[in-house]
Amino acid sequence: MKRLFGTDGIRGQANAWPMTPDVIVQVGRAVAIYFQKNSASSRKRKSIYTGVSNECGQETEKSREFALTKSPQLFCEGVDEVRPLPHKHFNPYVDHANHQFTVVIGKDTRLSGYMIESALVSGLVSEGANVIMLGPVPTPAIAMLARSLRADVGIMISASHNPYFDNGIKFFDEDGVKFSSEVEEEIEGLIERLMENRAESPSTGEYGAGNGCEYDAGNGAAKGGRQKSDSSANATKECGKSIRLDDAAGRYVEFAKSTFPKKYDLSEVKVVLDCANGAAYKVAPRIFWELGATVIPLGDAPNGRNINDHCGALYPKPMQECLSAVGADVGIALDGDADRLLLTTKIGQIINGDQILALIAKNWAGFSQNVEGLRRLTNGVVSTCMSNIGLKKYLKSLNIEHFEAKVGDKNVVDLMRKTQSNLGGEESGHIILSDYTTTGDGIIAALQVLGIAREQGVGLDDLFPLYVPCPQVTKNFAINASITGSFIKDLQDEIMQQVQGDGCVVIRKSGTEPLLRVMIQDEDMQNIERIFDEIVMPKVNEKLSACKIPIS
C-alpha cells in the first residue's frame, strides 16, 4: 500500500484513493484501536486530576489530595470526605461510563466532508470510540476544543488551501498537537493490516478493539480477538456513540476574542475579511465584529464547491480590490481551514508570514510595559527553510535567535517545543503563537497584529515592511514518479552554482499536492528569472516530457 500520511495528515482527491469511504472507515478504526491501547495512561491521568477516582473508579491519595487543595466544592460542609460524582468517569457529552475514549471531529465546507465525516465516525464508533461532531470550524478550533473538551483525539476534515475536489484529514492528540511521525507510522501499519483483512466478517473478531482485539504496539498490528462463539449482542455493546455539539463555534469565538488585548477594541477599524468560502465563514466575521470592527466579508457564502476558488489567502486580489473600493484600513485573507493568513495594508501592500513573524517578534521582545493580551518573546523565533533571508538578517539585527525547521507547521511546532520558543511560523502565513495555540491560527495571528497597531496608535502601513526582503521566487511544477530524489539533488546542486551572494535554493516535493516546489532567493531578480528559464524549466520539462504533464 502507498504511503497515506504526508506532511499534514492524509490528503487526496475525494472519492479516489485514499479519500474513499472504505479506506477512511479503516482510518477511523485504526485511530480508535491505537489510542485506546496507547492512551490508557493518559486517560488514567485525566481521571486522577478530576479529584475523584482512578481508571477503575477507586479514590486515590493523589486524587484526594488534589480535591482537598484544589476543588473544595467537591466536599459537603463539615464533612471530610469526597462527594462522589454520579459516574465513575463524568463526561457531560457521553453518558455511557464504559466508553471513555473520545474524539472531536470538525470539517471545512467541502461537499465531500459529509462523506468523509460519516465514514470516520463509523470506523471510530465501531471500535468503541465516542465522537463529538462539531460541524464547520477552523482547524485551530479543533486543537483548542480537543483540550477544552478533554478529548483523546481531535480530527479536522480539510484539505486546507487545496481546491474543493481534494480533501484531507488532520489529526491532533489530547494536547492539541499534531500526531508525531512515529505515531503516524504505527497507525499507517495498522490501517494496512486492517485493509488486508477488511473482507473478514466482524463476528470472527480477529481485528478491532470493538471485537476484543489485542493491539501489538511493536509492529502496528491488531491481533487476536473473540471467537465466533461470542454473541453478536456482546459485540454490539462495545460500540461507541456520536453526538453533535451545537456551541462549538461559540466556544472558539470567545477563545479567539480573549487573545486580543483587553484594554483595546477595534471600534475604529474597517476590515475586509476574506474567509475563502471555508471553515471560518461564520466565526471569523463574528469575532472581528464583536471586538468592534466594521467588517466587510468576502468568501462567506460556501456552496461546497467554491472553497479557495479565486479567493482567500492564495488569491488576495479580490481582497485588495475591495479594500481599495471601500476605503478599509486592513484586509485579512484566510485559507480554507483558517490556519494561515495574508494581510493587506490600506495602500494595498501584501504582508506575508515572514513579515508578520518579524513584527510580533520585535514587539514581544521589546515591550517594557505590561499590555494584557500581548506577550513576551521566549528564547527565539522558529521559521522554515522557505523563509526569506531578509527575515533572518532582521532577527539577527535585533539580537533575536532564529531556529530553522523543515517545511510544515508540524515541524515548526516540534522545534518550538524543543527550543522552548513561543513564536514560530512559515512564509506562507502559518503563524503559531504557543502562548495561545498549538497550531497555526490565522485569526489569532491577525488579532495580534491589530493589537500591536492599536497599542502603538498607528496603521499597518506604518508598521510594515520591517525589512527589505531578498528577491525570492517560488514556482510549482506538476510531477509524476519520474521526479526522484537524485534528480532533485542534482538540480539543486546545479542551481546553487548560479545563485549570488547569500542566495539559497530549496527544491522539494509537496507533502499535500502532486507538485514539485522550487524556491530561489538571490540578490538579483534577473538572475532568478534566468535560472528558471535556462535551467529549471528545461530540466523539469525534459524529465516530464514522456508523460506530457503540464507545468502549473
Side-chain angles (χ1 to χ4, degrees):
M1 186 174 76
K2 293 187 292 184
R3 179 169 171 78
L4 285 172
F5 285 88
T7 56
D8 200 2
I10 301 171
R11 192 173 298 188
Q13 185 173 331
N15 250 348
W17 192 93
M19 303 307 297
T20 57
D22 58 329
V23 175
I24 295 167
V25 167
Q26 307 308 326
V27 171
R29 291 184 65 200
V31 169
I33 293 169
Y34 176 85
F35 278 95
Q36 287 186 94
K37 175 66 177 181
N38 291 278
S39 295
S41 60
S42 65
R43 291 200 303 280
K44 181 176 180 180
R45 171 177 56 80
K46 287 183 179 182
S47 298
I48 288 174
Y49 285 100
T50 61
V52 180
S53 62
N54 66 9
E55 197 171 42
C56 300
Q58 300 167 335
E59 184 188 345
T60 67
E61 286 300 315
K62 284 187 178 180
S63 68
R64 180 178 174 80
E65 179 183 356
F66 180 86
L68 284 166
T69 57
K70 304 294 185 182
S71 304
Q73 69 274 16
L74 293 175
F75 291 82
C76 299
E77 186 176 354
V79 178
D80 189 27
E81 291 293 331
V82 174
R83 178 189 298 164
L85 292 175
H87 301 291
K88 291 178 181 178
H89 301 286
F90 175 71
N91 186 326
Y93 307 105
V94 180
D95 59 6
H96 195 308
N98 292 326
H99 291 142
Q100 207 45 46
F101 180 75
T102 304
V103 179
V104 295
I105 296 181
K107 60 184 178 180
D108 63 22
T109 57
R110 294 164 211 268
L111 191 62
S112 59
Y114 295 98
M115 172 193 74
I116 295 169
E117 181 183 55
S118 298
L120 263 177
V121 171
S122 295
L124 288 161
V125 169
S126 73
E127 297 296 343
N130 290 310
V131 177
I132 303 174
M133 294 178 288
L134 308 179
V137 291
T139 287
I142 295 299
M144 184 275 289
L145 288 166
R147 302 191 307 274
S148 174
L149 296 173
R150 296 177 62 189
D152 297 275
V153 170
I155 295 177
M156 178 66 181
I157 301 169
S158 175
S160 193
H161 58 275
N162 287 31
Y164 86 92
F165 48 76
D166 288 340
N167 216 328
I169 309 172
K170 302 182 180 185
F171 301 90
F172 297 87
D173 64 20
E174 63 184 353
D175 296 317
V177 177
K178 289 181 178 178
F179 287 2
S180 67
S181 298
E182 292 75 19
V183 170
E184 288 178 346
E185 287 176 7
E186 290 212 45
I187 291 175
E188 187 156 329
L190 182 53
I191 293 169
E192 184 172 1
R193 184 75 176 271
L194 291 169
M195 290 293 293
E196 290 172 354
N197 294 275
R198 66 187 183 277
E200 185 171 346
S201 170
S203 64
T204 64
E206 185 172 352
Y207 299 102
N211 291 320
C213 87
E214 178 185 353
Y215 171 63
D216 183 355
N219 60 20
K223 64 179 182 178
R226 285 200 184 98
Q227 301 302 313
K228 292 184 179 180
S229 59
D230 281 356
S231 69
S232 59
N234 286 336
T236 303
K237 288 181 181 179
E238 301 296 334
C239 288
K241 64 184 293 187
S242 63
I243 64 168
R244 290 200 177 272
L245 182 62
D246 294 331
D247 68 339
R251 288 170 179 249
Y252 176 73
V253 167
E254 292 304 313
F255 166 71
K257 286 165 53 182
S258 73
T259 69
F260 191 73
K262 300 294 186 295
K263 62 187 293 185
Y264 303 117
D265 61 30
L266 297 174
S267 57
E268 299 177 2
V269 180
K270 183 183 286 189
V271 177
V272 173
L273 180 59
D274 191 340
C275 303
N277 292 311
Y281 80 101
K282 284 186 177 180
V283 299
R286 181 175 164 188
I287 289 166
F288 290 93
W289 182 85
E290 290 185 9
L291 285 171
T294 299
V295 180
I296 296 92
L298 300 176
D300 63 336
N303 61 17
R305 296 182 175 89
N306 61 358
I307 186 171
N308 299 315
D309 186 9
H310 292 88
C311 58
L314 263 62
Y315 299 94
K317 187 175 181 180
M319 172 184 64
Q320 290 176 295
E321 293 174 346
C322 181
L323 185 145
S324 176
V326 302
D329 300 293
V330 59
I332 302 169
L334 307 170
D335 72 337
D337 66 337
D339 66 348
R340 60 193 271 189
L341 82 159
L342 284 181
L343 298 176
T344 301
T345 69
K346 194 166 187 174
I347 63 173
Q349 178 187 179
I350 291 288
I351 308 301
N352 67 12
D354 281 352
Q355 290 281 352
I356 293 170
L357 281 177
L359 177 72
I360 297 175
K362 173 188 175 184
N363 282 268
W364 281 14
F367 270 125
S368 58
Q369 58 185 353
N370 181 24
V371 179
E372 188 176 3
L374 294 175
R375 301 296 186 178
R376 294 187 181 277
L377 190 68
T378 61
N379 292 340
V381 176
V382 177
S383 70
T384 74
C385 55
M386 300 293 284
S387 285
N388 195 270
I389 296 169
L391 170 65
K392 302 169 187 177
K393 290 182 176 179
Y394 178 74
L395 294 174
K396 185 177 181 179
S397 72
L398 299 177
N399 293 318
I400 296 174
E401 190 166 3
H402 174 259
F403 304 97
E404 186 172 290
K406 295 180 180 178
V407 174
D409 66 331
K410 181 173 75 172
N411 296 319
V412 172
V413 171
D414 287 344
L415 189 53
M416 288 174 66
R417 298 176 83 181
K418 290 176 182 176
T419 59
Q420 297 185 335
S421 303
N422 63 345
L423 175 61
E426 297 185 276
E427 179 268 344
S428 60
H430 290 109
I431 306 295
I432 300 104
L433 311 168
S434 65
D435 287 345
Y436 304 114
T437 66
T438 54
T439 190
D441 192 318
I443 294 172
I444 290 179
L447 290 176
Q448 282 295 302
V449 172
L450 293 176
I452 291 169
R454 296 298 279 172
E455 196 276 333
Q456 297 187 14
V458 299
L460 264 61
D461 282 306
D462 299 308
L463 295 176
F464 297 106
L466 285 98
Y467 61 88
V468 177
C470 176
Q472 174 177 337
V473 176
T474 300
K475 293 189 178 183
N476 299 323
F477 302 86
I479 61 172
N480 58 21
S482 66
I483 303 299
T484 61
S486 60
F487 171 81
I488 291 173
K489 183 180 182 303
D490 291 344
L491 181 60
Q492 182 155 334
D493 290 343
E494 184 173 352
I495 296 173
M496 278 301 299
Q497 295 176 11
Q498 302 294 320
V499 297
Q500 302 172 2
D502 293 326
C504 69
V505 179
V506 177
I507 306 177
R508 67 182 185 88
K509 290 183 179 180
S510 168
T512 58
E513 300 173 87
L515 298 174
L516 182 72
R517 304 195 192 280
V518 181
M519 186 277 287
I520 302 175
Q521 294 182 43
D522 192 286
E523 295 174 354
D524 184 355
M525 178 60 79
Q526 290 185 345
N527 192 44
I528 294 177
E529 293 172 352
R530 181 189 66 80
I531 292 171
F532 270 109
D533 290 342
E534 297 180 6
I535 300 176
V536 180
M537 300 280 246
K539 293 281 186 181
V540 173
N541 276 331
E542 180 183 358
K543 197 71 174 175
L544 298 175
S545 59
C547 296
K548 298 182 179 179
I549 296 179
I551 296 174
S552 64

